[in-house]
Amino acid sequence: MTFRGGNPNPGRGRRPAAPAAVDAGSWHELRQLVPVKSVSAQVHTAGRVKDLGKAVQFSWPGVYFEGRFRGTGLGVVLDCAAADYDVQVDGATVATLFTPGDTTHWINGLRDGEHTVRVVKRNDTPGDTSTFGGFVAAPGGAVLSKPAPRDRQIEFIGDSLTVGYGNVSGTRDCNPEQLKRNTNTDVSHGALTAQRLEADYQINGLSGLGMVRNVAGICPDVTYRTYYDRALLNVDGDVWQNPGTWRPQIVVVNLGSNDFSDLTPGEPWTPDSLAAAYRTAYGKFLRKLRTRYGVGTTLVAVGFDRNAEHVRQVVEARNDAGDSGVRYWFLDQAGLDFLGCDGHTSAHDDRVIADRLAPFLRSLRTGW
């Protein structure tokens, strides 16, 4: 729920040994020797990316890239000095890359054969643009055709609770560097819920922002809605171009914790005016989602803490207006320890929430 100015950049845990990487010159020489497919031809991703052909750019947390290869090693091409990444081979994390910069990270010493690979952005860095340049096989190997997309798709819209802010810290007391290392969107409740439902997903989360007001009244000229349409969050006016493959059957909206954070002196809101503006904006946002995705998508509005009653009222109003595809879900705090940074939900809490949310989503009219 906390927004740390324009460039939140969390991450995770104890730094491993420095990853092996080729320098830029060696990498360019290698790329000249190996035919390179476009990134979109190499990998499956459901995230919001800007396709540049030989690379893709992105900003949102939790964006993942999945591929297949044959051989004993693989190079992962990244240009990002802000975010952290996990590299997973055959379902196991084999490397965590902390702000890797412009590099190719090599995974070597694998058994000779076919493998799956997944690269996932761990944290939210809305002040920066990240670039992924695809995969390159080690000598004697090959990058294979990309995995098929999953039939199910879920979009998660929210703030730091959706991001997984500081969720693997194990303590509420975190300095900025610890916060960076201890945010892992890949084990957020949204990612875990999608995993339980075997669905592709987007985690479109922004820490600190709300529907009409941000935490502690910061940045009053923008809200979450300012950025929702973008692929590159730090590019004013950017609009994500849906390639036509993103048609989520479920969209989960969890915004309001920041709206109803304590008012600070000098803010123009009263409790009543804030609540009224919040309900109005929330209703408009749901109508926008309905227009974008159509009647076949179920919209789930999450009630949490101080916003719960207002969200319930918004859902009832949409139902009364004839939209039966809007559903309310209450995020019960029972059993949560809030041991993430700054009192946010922990990785334990994310598992508990996913265990509760997944059955609810499975019960919806999607037939999952």
Side-chain angles (χ1 to χ4, degrees):
M1 289 170 282
T2 302
F3 183 74
R4 304 171 305 285
N7 182 19
N9 177 25
R12 147 97 182 161
R14 181 171 55 87
R15 181 180 294 273
V22 296
D23 61 34
S26 299
W27 164 237
H28 290 305
E29 292 174 6
L30 178 61
R31 293 283 272 192
Q32 291 172 3
L33 295 173
V34 181
V36 179
K37 298 179 180 179
S38 68
V39 171
S40 61
Q42 275 194 342
V43 303
H44 164 63
T45 183
R48 293 186 176 188
V49 302
K50 185 175 288 292
D51 193 343
L52 304 179
K54 297 297 177 64
V56 295
Q57 294 179 318
F58 52 101
S59 290
W60 293 96
V63 174
Y64 57 89
F65 304 98
E66 298 174 332
R68 300 170 56 247
F69 68 100
R70 182 180 65 251
T72 60
L74 186 79
V76 179
V77 185
L78 284 166
D79 185 359
C80 181
D84 298 342
Y85 298 83
D86 278 343
V87 181
Q88 301 160 357
V89 173
D90 299 332
T93 299
V94 295
T96 297
L97 311 181
F98 298 102
T99 58
D102 185 359
T103 189
T104 299
H105 180 83
W106 284 92
I107 306 297
N108 293 308
L110 303 171
R111 64 168 178 79
D112 193 4
E114 292 190 7
H115 303 275
T116 62
V117 59
R118 182 175 184 266
V119 176
V120 57
K121 182 173 183 271
R122 294 167 59 101
N123 42 15
D124 56 335
T125 56
D128 296 271
T129 293
S130 304
T131 302
F132 173 65
F135 301 120
V136 58
V143 176
L144 305 176
S145 59
K146 64 183 179 182
R150 297 165 182 84
D151 293 331
R152 301 172 179 177
Q153 297 178 338
I154 310 175
E155 180 174 337
F156 294 90
I157 293 170
D159 53 31
S160 52
L161 294 180
T162 297
V163 170
Y165 177 107
N167 56 346
V168 295
S169 66
T171 177
R172 299 183 178 97
D173 298 322
C174 304
N175 62 38
E177 183 68 15
Q178 290 167 332
L179 175 60
K180 291 177 183 180
R181 300 286 82 83
N182 286 285
T183 292
N184 190 348
T185 306
D186 202 38
V187 294
S188 66
H189 69 264
L192 296 177
T193 297
Q195 181 183 38
R196 284 156 170 70
L197 297 173
E198 299 180 353
D200 275 322
Y201 61 90
Q202 291 182 357
I203 305 289
N204 297 327
L206 268 174
S207 296
L209 301 189
M211 192 69 77
V212 297
R213 176 181 175 269
N214 306 319
V215 66
I218 64 168
C219 305
D221 295 332
V222 299
T223 66
Y224 178 91
R225 293 177 296 140
T226 306
Y227 301 97
Y228 171 69
D229 290 330
R230 300 182 186 181
L232 305 181
L233 295 169
N234 63 329
V235 179
D236 289 342
D238 183 60
V239 176
W240 176 56
Q241 301 299 315
N242 188 334
T245 55
W246 185 247
R247 299 181 293 273
Q249 296 95 339
I250 298 172
V251 178
V252 179
V253 183
N254 186 2
L255 286 169
S257 295
N258 296 311
D259 294 87
F260 294 99
S261 62
D262 292 341
L263 293 171
T264 59
E267 288 194 71
W269 303 104
T270 67
D272 288 343
S273 68
L274 175 61
Y278 175 79
R279 292 192 297 266
T280 298
Y282 207 127
K284 289 181 179 179
F285 190 66
L286 292 178
R287 291 196 294 274
K288 174 177 181 171
L289 293 174
R290 176 60 68 225
T291 299
R292 170 171 294 188
Y293 292 129
V295 296
T297 297
T298 299
L299 308 178
V300 177
V302 177
F304 176 71
D305 203 29
R306 300 180 188 181
N307 72 346
E309 177 58 23
H310 303 294
V311 174
R312 188 188 62 78
Q313 291 180 30
V314 171
V315 171
E316 288 183 352
R318 295 304 309 141
N319 295 161
D320 291 343
D323 191 346
S324 61
V326 179
R327 300 289 301 273
Y328 175 73
W329 187 72
F330 178 66
L331 199 167
D332 188 353
Q333 298 184 41
L336 306 185
D337 58 34
F338 294 100
L339 283 178
C341 289
D342 302 319
H344 284 68
T345 48
S346 65
H348 162 270
D349 297 344
D350 282 321
R351 292 190 296 271
V352 171
I353 295 169
D355 287 342
R356 296 169 179 170
L357 180 56
F360 174 79
L361 299 185
R362 193 179 287 116
S363 73
L364 300 176
R365 65 181 184 180
T366 57
W368 292 0

